[in-house]
Amino acid sequence: MEKAIITLSLLFMTTFARGQSGMQEQINQTALALEEQVIEWRRDFHQHPELGNEETRTAGIVAAHLRDLGMEVTEGVAVTGVIGVLKGGKPGPTVAIRADMDALPVTERNDLPFKSQVTTNYNGQETGVMHACGHDSHVAILMGVAELLAGMQDELNGTVKFIFQPAEEGLEDKTVESWGAKQMVEEGVMEDVDAIFGLHINSQTPAGVIKYKPGPSMAAVDNLEILVKGRQAHGAYPWSSIDPIVTASQIVMGLQTIVSRNVKIIEIPAIVTIGAIHGGVRHNIIPEEVEMIGTIRTYSESQQTLIHRRIREIGENIAESAGAAAEISIKKMYPVTHNDPDLTASMLPILEKVAGKANVWLHDPVTGAEDFSFYQKEKPGLFIFLGGMPPEGDSETAPSHHTPDFYLDESGFVLGVRALSQLAVDYMELN
Ligand SMILES: [Zn+2]
Ligand SMILES: [Zn+2]
C-alpha cells in the first residue's frame, strides 16, 4: 500500500496543470494507477464476505486504510460502520460519499480463485455467505476514491466525508428496529453534510456505462400483513362457517384493482404483491383464520398514502361483506430513493464528462429499493448505477443480483472511482 502512495505522489508532482481539466486529468490518471489495487481489495472482500452488522473484518480494513491516508476516523457507527473525514485545503461544503459493506446468505456457484467459501447458519439453515449484490466492489471503489482524494487534499474546496455503512440488505432479527443507513442517520452522520453521492454496481449493465434517473429512481418498500378472521367449520358444512379462505381469495383479487384502477400509471408505476398465504391444515376443515403477507412498492408519498388507504378499504370491506374481519398492518421499510432533480441536473454533465455522453443512460424506475434513500431524506443526494457486466454480455440473461451466479466484470470499477471522485471534486467546486 505504501508503495502505491509513493507512486501516486510522484504522479501528482508531475501534474502541474490546474483548473478543471487539470483536475480531471489527475483524477483519471490516479484512478487508473489505483485500478489494480481496487480489484485486489474487492477480491479480498469477496473471499471474506460478512453479513449485515457483522462486517468487522471489512470495517477493520477500511478504518486502517482511511487512517493510513491521514483521515479522522470513527469506527463502530451504527454497529460496524466506519466514517472517514478528509478536510480539504480550502473552505467549502461537506460532501459525503457512501458505500455499503454487507453480504448475503447465498451460496456462491462461480468458479473463481477468490470464490467465497464462507458458510453460516441462517434462520436455522446451513447456507453460504456471498457478496451477491456487489457491495464488495462498493467498498473497494470507495477505498480507491478515498486514496485518490487524499492525494489531492490541498486542492479540495471543502470536506469529504466517507461513509462505509453496514446492513444495507436489512436484518433477519425482527426485534431490531433500526439498522444500516437509517441508524447511521439517527446517529447524526448527515448533520454536517451538504450533499451525498453513492453508486450501485449492476451485473446486467455493461461495464463502462453509468445509469441515472432524476427524481424517484428506486421504490419505497412497505411490508403488508393481512389477517382474515372467520369462523371454523367442517368442510362438508360450509354454511355454518365464515370461510376465511374464500374471503382471503376475494381480497387478493380485490387488491389487483388498486394498481389497475386507482393508480395513475401513466405517471409512475406501483406494485402490490401478495407473496404468501397461510391458512388451514386439512382438506375437510374450513379454518378460522388466513394470514397473508406481501410487499408494496411506490414512488411518491401521495401514491403510497393512496395505496395504503385502498388496501385497507378493500381488505376491510370485503371481509365485512362476508361477515369476517380483516386486520391489516402495513410497515414502512425503505423510503423512495429520490435523486434531487437540481443536484442531478447539475451533476449530469460531470457524469457525461467522465463516462462519455454515449455511456450515460437514463434508466426506468427500479422496483427494488435502497437504504441510501434514508440519507436522501436528510440532504440532497444522487445515487447512480455503475455497469458491472462483461461488455459482450446480455443484460437479459446475465445473472441478477442476489443469485448464486452473480458475477461482476471488474473492468467497470475504475469508472466508479473516477465518477465518485469527480462528482465530489466538482460539487465542492460548484457550491
Ligand atoms: Zn442487494
Ligand atoms: Zn445492494
Side-chain angles (χ1 to χ4, degrees):
M1 195 181 300
E2 261 174 29
K3 207 175 96 206
I5 292 169
I6 292 164
T7 318
L8 293 177
S9 313
L10 286 171
L11 195 67
F12 294 151
M13 284 159 69
T14 55
T15 309
F16 289 113
R18 283 297 164 262
Q20 289 248 330
S21 62
M23 294 274 256
Q24 190 187 351
E25 194 41 42
Q26 186 172 336
I27 288 171
N28 288 351
Q29 287 187 22
T30 315
L32 272 177
L34 281 166
E35 184 177 14
E36 217 173 296
Q37 173 70 78
V38 168
I39 290 171
E40 210 175 290
W41 281 324
R42 184 262 168 166
R43 291 183 179 187
D44 175 59
F45 295 133
H46 191 85
Q47 207 165 4
H48 302 96
E50 296 168 301
L51 293 174
N53 280 1
E54 295 172 13
E55 309 93 330
T56 49
R57 180 184 181 275
T58 309
I61 292 170
V62 168
H65 177 62
L66 300 181
R67 259 190 215 106
D68 277 356
L69 296 170
M71 289 190 204
E72 231 173 78
V73 176
T74 315
E75 288 179 83
V77 187
V79 188
T80 55
V82 182
I83 306 283
V85 176
L86 179 68
K87 287 206 172 76
K90 299 171 212 164
T94 297
V95 57
I97 320 177
R98 169 275 209 170
D100 41 7
M101 307 189 287
D102 53 324
L104 287 159
V106 172
T107 306
E108 178 151 28
R109 219 156 34 196
N110 292 310
D111 188 20
L112 297 167
F114 52 95
K115 169 183 177 161
S116 166
Q117 311 280 358
V118 178
T119 58
T120 191
N121 188 293
Y122 193 82
N123 257 350
Q125 274 186 57
E126 270 307 308
T127 171
V129 181
M130 176 190 177
H131 268 294
C133 203
H135 299 181
D136 49 349
S137 70
H138 303 167
V139 180
I141 287 169
L142 193 53
M143 283 170 71
V145 173
E147 184 157 339
L148 189 155
L149 294 181
M152 301 173 77
Q153 188 165 8
D154 293 344
E155 295 142 85
L156 299 179
N157 297 295
T159 300
V160 188
K161 194 167 188 175
F162 295 90
I163 300 178
F164 293 84
Q165 71 153 81
E168 192 283 325
E169 303 282 0
L171 299 174
E172 203 45 47
D173 185 350
K174 302 277 188 295
T175 63
V176 180
E177 277 296 311
S178 188
W179 60 83
K182 183 166 180 251
Q183 195 173 346
M184 282 258 163
V185 168
E186 286 163 3
E187 293 188 15
V189 298
M190 291 300 284
E191 278 164 18
D192 58 353
V193 168
D194 295 295
I196 183 162
F197 297 110
L199 61 72
H200 206 302
I201 197 95
N202 187 265
S203 65
Q204 295 169 312
T205 300
V209 167
I210 286 174
K211 284 187 179 172
Y212 79 104
K213 183 183 178 302
S217 89
M218 298 179 79
V221 178
D222 306 316
N223 287 354
L224 170 63
E225 287 181 27
I226 303 177
L227 181 65
V228 181
K229 291 176 148 175
R231 186 195 303 135
Q232 187 154 335
H234 194 299
Y237 314 116
W239 48 84
S240 58
S241 78
I242 293 173
D243 188 341
I245 288 186
V246 171
T247 308
S249 307
Q250 288 176 321
I251 291 173
V252 171
M253 296 314 292
L255 295 179
Q256 305 311 305
T257 64
I258 297 175
V259 173
S260 70
R261 303 291 96 163
N262 304 132
V263 171
K264 199 169 179 185
I265 50 168
I266 50 167
E267 282 174 1
I268 197 110
I271 286 173
V272 178
T273 290
I274 295 295
I277 306 181
H278 298 289
V281 289
R282 207 181 131 87
H283 56 91
N284 62 353
I285 299 175
I286 294 169
E288 190 165 86
E289 292 181 346
V290 169
E291 188 196 24
M292 300 188 278
I293 54 173
T295 188
I296 305 161
R297 307 283 160 131
T298 54
Y299 295 91
S300 74
E301 281 183 21
S302 61
Q303 192 192 45
Q304 189 181 39
T305 305
L306 166 81
I307 290 179
H308 289 192
R309 176 170 64 79
R310 289 299 294 143
I311 288 174
R312 290 184 195 283
E313 286 170 354
I314 289 169
E316 287 165 4
N317 288 309
I318 287 179
E320 197 191 338
S321 73
E327 286 175 9
I328 298 173
S329 88
I330 298 171
K331 190 171 178 201
K332 291 184 179 179
M333 302 299 288
Y334 293 66
V336 182
T337 304
H338 190 274
N339 291 325
D340 183 86
D342 293 338
L343 180 68
T344 310
S346 64
M347 294 295 116
L348 180 58
I350 295 156
L351 296 177
E352 290 176 340
K353 172 171 89 177
V354 171
K357 211 172 165 136
N359 296 319
V360 179
W361 302 354
L362 188 66
H363 71 77
D364 293 330
V366 174
T367 48
E370 241 299 329
D371 78 354
F372 189 80
S373 50
F374 285 103
Y375 303 116
Q376 291 173 313
K377 281 191 92 169
E378 303 299 307
K379 298 290 166 64
L382 173 60
F383 191 69
I384 56 172
F385 289 98
L386 177 72
M389 180 179 77
E392 69 281 6
D394 177 356
S395 57
E396 295 294 316
T397 54
S400 79
H401 291 239
H402 293 207
T403 67
D405 304 309
F406 173 80
Y407 175 80
L408 290 180
D409 183 350
E410 296 167 326
S411 73
F413 298 173
V414 66
L415 178 60
V417 176
R418 290 173 55 213
L420 290 178
S421 303
Q422 195 77 53
L423 285 172
V425 165
D426 286 6
Y427 177 85
M428 290 187 287
E429 193 103 2
L430 292 167
N431 288 276

